[in-house]
Amino acid sequence: MNILPALEILRLELTRIRQDLHAYPELAFGEQRTSDLVARELSSYGVEVHRGLAGTGVVGTLRAGSGNRAIGLRADMDALPIQEANTFEHHSRHDGKMHACGHDGHTTMLLGAARHLAETRNFDGTVHFIFQPAEEHGGGGCVMIEQGLFEKFPMDEVYGLHNWPGLDLGHFALIPGPMMASTDHFDIVVRGHGAHAAMPHLGIDPVVAGAAIVQALQTLVSRSIEPVDAAVVSVTQFHAGDAYNVIAGEAVLRGTVRTFKAETRDAMEAGMRRVCENTAAAYGASADFSYERGYPPLINWPAQTETAAGVLADMVGEERVHRQFPPTMGGEDFAYMLQAKPGCYVFMGNGQGAGMHGCMLHNPGYDFNDAALPVGASYWVRLVEHCLNKAG
Ligand code: NI
């Protein structure tokens, strides 16, 4: 592996920052201490600091040479409402909050890259280091865009990165096209007519109608969506009644829908509405269906994916760059940035499980693997030096 020696030397310092961030996790839009730390670090490297986009968002700008090309590198800063199970020294000091997705590591790697690039300036153009709030909940990246991220900081391309437990340290995965799914959710209120449970003929049972709706929704993916496309509908809540002997008047169903394509997303929403309303009607009930769109699918741009893959292959070797990685139905708000600008998002191996590193994301035993800090920071540096090539 061809990690920058200067970043290997910085590893202890980066580990200190990462573990400090881990110990003081902050939730969506509340990343005050974190953004203070980011701004302080960037300033100390000589990077120009802009604060306030999406509240706690920070953008660091670094220029070198006279080139007019610009790229953005993005890290997320927020933690999750999870009670940490780890007992190591840098465990969360904030009850019920935890860096269980490694955003502490993402933030630190981007700081490491900023520091190195500020020292070496071996590029020609402008780099914007984007530290966004609220990736887990609230779409902080989308809010930054709405508040003028790309107008205030014009850039040609934007790149993102996420650690991936189960993928070996020093390995990366990236694919052109859809890599992560849209994350929508829905509410269905099935209205029937309450009755004595021993006299069902006097009522309209919303539980039976609701159960039929749950079953029928599952046929949408198998019968309405092209087999080689992918979609998930999961009914995750079903609430009705509170007695043994009373037929409820209504039932509430909720859940999530994941898709990779805009047209599949539209088809799922329309199909679900049709199934809910008509299935309820078949039982003499009615259904109010509401569908809320969350993050769009994350779609990598082919040319930028090729660029990132080339940079990674030079760095870790072609055999450690996984270009056939299966897409995941998880969501990611970097999708908004890729809707606005060409770019690429990659998964970086977090290792197989020394200690608790093998935990999947959002697990109370998860921890970012500090050995990955120089790896991710090196990728950022090499990507900048490639995209803003002095000779180019
Ligand atoms: Ni995450």
Side-chain angles (χ1 to χ4, degrees):
M1 244 198 302
N2 192 5
I3 301 308
L4 287 162
L7 286 166
E8 275 295 355
I9 291 165
L10 268 187
R11 179 165 156 182
L12 279 181
E13 169 63 8
L14 294 178
T15 299
R16 186 193 63 73
I17 293 173
R18 205 288 295 179
Q19 295 188 354
D20 177 76
L21 290 172
H22 190 92
Y24 299 96
E26 296 172 306
L27 302 185
F29 297 117
E31 306 91 340
Q32 200 56 54
R33 182 186 183 278
T34 308
S35 67
D36 287 348
L37 183 150
V38 166
R40 197 169 57 240
E41 287 291 324
L42 290 173
S43 294
S44 76
Y45 312 152
V47 173
E48 197 180 302
V49 175
H50 312 268
R51 304 189 68 176
L53 272 187
T56 49
V58 183
V59 180
T61 298
L62 183 67
R63 293 184 185 84
S66 56
N68 54 14
R69 284 184 47 78
I71 70 168
L73 311 178
R74 170 275 204 174
D76 38 16
M77 301 189 291
D78 58 320
L80 285 155
I82 291 177
Q83 183 67 38
E84 178 155 15
N86 296 310
T87 54
F88 44 54
E89 181 52 35
H90 60 279
H91 71 84
S92 172
R93 278 16 174 212
H94 290 166
D95 223 25
K97 300 176 187 175
M98 179 190 173
H99 269 296
C101 203
H103 299 185
D104 47 352
H106 304 163
T107 298
T108 306
M109 290 186 291
L110 193 52
L111 285 173
R115 176 168 170 174
H116 185 79
L117 287 164
E119 281 169 7
T120 54
R121 300 196 190 224
N122 186 26
F123 63 94
D124 184 27
T126 303
V127 189
H128 298 296
F129 305 97
I130 305 164
F131 295 86
Q132 74 150 82
E135 190 287 318
E136 298 290 357
H137 180 74
C142 181
V143 176
M144 286 184 90
I145 295 169
E146 286 168 357
Q147 295 185 3
L149 174 67
F150 294 128
E151 289 76 34
K152 291 179 173 136
F153 307 96
M155 57 190 89
D156 301 297
E157 297 174 347
V158 66
Y159 291 86
L161 174 160
H162 206 291
N163 77 95
W164 201 252
L167 186 62
D168 283 341
L169 184 67
H171 287 237
F172 287 81
L174 71 173
I175 48 175
M179 182 148 127
M180 298 184 79
S182 57
T183 58
D184 302 341
H185 61 261
F186 59 87
D187 291 76
I188 305 163
V189 181
V190 184
R191 297 188 201 285
H193 187 77
H196 192 299
M199 304 169 196
H201 60 293
L202 300 180
I204 294 171
D205 190 345
V207 171
V208 173
I213 289 172
V214 173
Q215 295 284 355
L217 287 176
Q218 292 307 324
T219 65
L220 280 173
V221 175
S222 67
R223 301 292 87 182
S224 301
I225 303 300
E226 192 179 343
V228 293
D229 192 6
V232 175
V233 50
S234 289
V235 178
T236 56
Q237 300 182 40
F238 194 144
H239 306 284
D242 46 22
Y244 284 108
N245 55 1
V246 178
I247 291 170
E250 64 177 43
V252 176
L253 287 69
R254 300 191 181 98
T256 185
V257 177
R258 309 292 170 109
T259 54
F260 285 129
K261 292 181 188 163
E263 56 269 33
T264 310
R265 196 182 198 187
D266 292 344
M268 285 301 291
E269 179 177 354
M272 290 179 72
R273 182 180 305 282
R274 188 182 71 239
V275 163
C276 288
E277 291 175 356
N278 291 299
T279 305
Y283 288 82
S286 64
D288 295 338
F289 176 73
S290 62
Y291 190 95
E292 184 145 344
R293 295 192 173 209
Y295 299 168
L298 182 144
I299 299 174
N300 274 334
W301 293 58
Q304 286 69 25
T305 303
E306 206 48 45
T307 298
V311 168
L312 288 168
D314 283 348
M315 187 173 106
V316 298
E318 188 66 54
E319 69 283 4
R320 294 193 183 88
V321 181
H322 303 270
R323 302 191 192 213
Q324 309 281 333
F325 204 69
T328 156
M329 298 309 270
E332 161 62 77
D333 90 337
F334 188 65
Y336 291 106
M337 295 194 186
L338 289 182
Q339 281 187 328
K341 294 285 169 187
C344 175
Y345 180 82
V346 307
F347 290 141
M348 179 193 73
N350 196 51
Q352 293 289 358
M356 286 180 143
H357 290 146
C359 284
M360 202 32 181
L361 305 168
H362 296 206
N363 185 298
Y366 169 86
D367 194 27
F368 185 84
N369 186 347
D370 289 317
L373 292 168
V375 181
S378 286
Y379 165 58
W380 285 140
V381 169
R382 290 186 186 281
L383 184 69
V384 168
E385 290 175 351
H386 178 90
C387 293
L388 305 177
N389 189 334
K390 268 180 163 171

Short mmCIF file of all heavy atoms in Angstrom, two decimals, residues 76 101-103 106 135-136 162 332 361-362, ligand 1:
data_model
loop_
_atom_site.label_atom_id
_atom_site.label_comp_id
_atom_site.label_asym_id
_atom_site.label_seq_id
_atom_site.Cartn_x
_atom_site.Cartn_y
_atom_site.Cartn_z
N ASP A 76 -19.00 13.97 6.90
CA ASP A 76 -20.16 14.22 7.76
C ASP A 76 -19.71 14.22 9.22
O ASP A 76 -18.74 13.57 9.58
CB ASP A 76 -21.26 13.19 7.50
CG ASP A 76 -20.73 11.79 7.24
OD1 ASP A 76 -19.55 11.52 7.55
OD2 ASP A 76 -21.50 10.96 6.71
N CYS A 101 -21.38 5.41 13.37
CA CYS A 101 -21.32 5.29 11.92
C CYS A 101 -19.95 5.74 11.40
O CYS A 101 -19.71 5.77 10.21
CB CYS A 101 -22.45 6.11 11.28
SG CYS A 101 -22.90 5.55 9.63
N GLY A 102 -19.08 6.13 12.34
CA GLY A 102 -17.72 6.49 11.94
C GLY A 102 -17.56 7.88 11.38
O GLY A 102 -16.53 8.20 10.77
N HIS A 103 -18.54 8.75 11.58
CA HIS A 103 -18.40 10.11 11.07
C HIS A 103 -17.28 10.86 11.80
O HIS A 103 -16.72 11.82 11.26
CB HIS A 103 -19.73 10.87 11.18
CG HIS A 103 -20.85 10.23 10.39
ND1 HIS A 103 -22.10 10.78 10.26
CD2 HIS A 103 -20.88 9.08 9.68
CE1 HIS A 103 -22.87 9.99 9.50
NE2 HIS A 103 -22.15 8.95 9.15
N HIS A 106 -14.50 10.06 9.54
CA HIS A 106 -14.60 10.80 8.27
C HIS A 106 -14.12 12.24 8.46
O HIS A 106 -13.38 12.78 7.63
CB HIS A 106 -16.04 10.81 7.75
CG HIS A 106 -16.64 9.44 7.57
ND1 HIS A 106 -17.98 9.22 7.44
CD2 HIS A 106 -16.05 8.21 7.52
CE1 HIS A 106 -18.22 7.92 7.30
NE2 HIS A 106 -17.05 7.29 7.34
N GLU A 135 -26.09 14.10 8.67
CA GLU A 135 -26.23 13.11 7.59
C GLU A 135 -27.24 12.03 7.97
O GLU A 135 -28.02 11.57 7.14
CB GLU A 135 -24.87 12.45 7.27
CG GLU A 135 -24.88 11.61 6.00
CD GLU A 135 -25.63 10.30 6.14
OE1 GLU A 135 -25.48 9.62 7.17
OE2 GLU A 135 -26.39 9.94 5.21
N GLU A 136 -27.22 11.65 9.25
CA GLU A 136 -28.07 10.53 9.69
C GLU A 136 -29.55 10.89 9.66
O GLU A 136 -30.40 10.04 9.45
CB GLU A 136 -27.71 10.13 11.13
CG GLU A 136 -26.29 9.63 11.31
CD GLU A 136 -26.06 8.28 10.66
OE1 GLU A 136 -27.01 7.69 10.12
OE2 GLU A 136 -24.91 7.83 10.69
N HIS A 162 -17.24 6.79 2.73
CA HIS A 162 -17.77 6.21 3.97
C HIS A 162 -17.00 4.95 4.31
O HIS A 162 -16.68 4.16 3.43
CB HIS A 162 -19.26 5.88 3.83
CG HIS A 162 -19.98 5.88 5.15
ND1 HIS A 162 -19.76 4.94 6.13
CD2 HIS A 162 -20.89 6.75 5.65
CE1 HIS A 162 -20.53 5.23 7.17
NE2 HIS A 162 -21.23 6.32 6.91
N GLU A 332 -28.02 7.68 2.01
CA GLU A 332 -26.87 8.57 2.28
C GLU A 332 -27.20 9.93 1.67
O GLU A 332 -27.57 10.00 0.49
CB GLU A 332 -25.64 7.93 1.62
CG GLU A 332 -24.46 8.82 1.37
CD GLU A 332 -23.85 9.41 2.62
OE1 GLU A 332 -23.12 8.71 3.35
OE2 GLU A 332 -24.09 10.62 2.85
N LEU A 361 -22.18 -0.84 10.85
CA LEU A 361 -22.53 0.53 11.21
C LEU A 361 -23.82 0.53 12.04
O LEU A 361 -24.65 -0.35 11.88
CB LEU A 361 -22.72 1.36 9.94
CG LEU A 361 -21.53 1.33 8.97
CD1 LEU A 361 -21.92 1.93 7.62
CD2 LEU A 361 -20.35 2.10 9.56
N HIS A 362 -23.97 1.54 12.86
CA HIS A 362 -25.17 1.75 13.70
C HIS A 362 -25.31 0.68 14.79
O HIS A 362 -26.40 0.47 15.30
CB HIS A 362 -26.46 1.83 12.86
CG HIS A 362 -26.48 3.00 11.91
ND1 HIS A 362 -27.64 3.58 11.44
CD2 HIS A 362 -25.48 3.71 11.35
CE1 HIS A 362 -27.35 4.58 10.63
NE2 HIS A 362 -26.02 4.67 10.55
NI NI B 1 -22.77 7.17 8.09
#
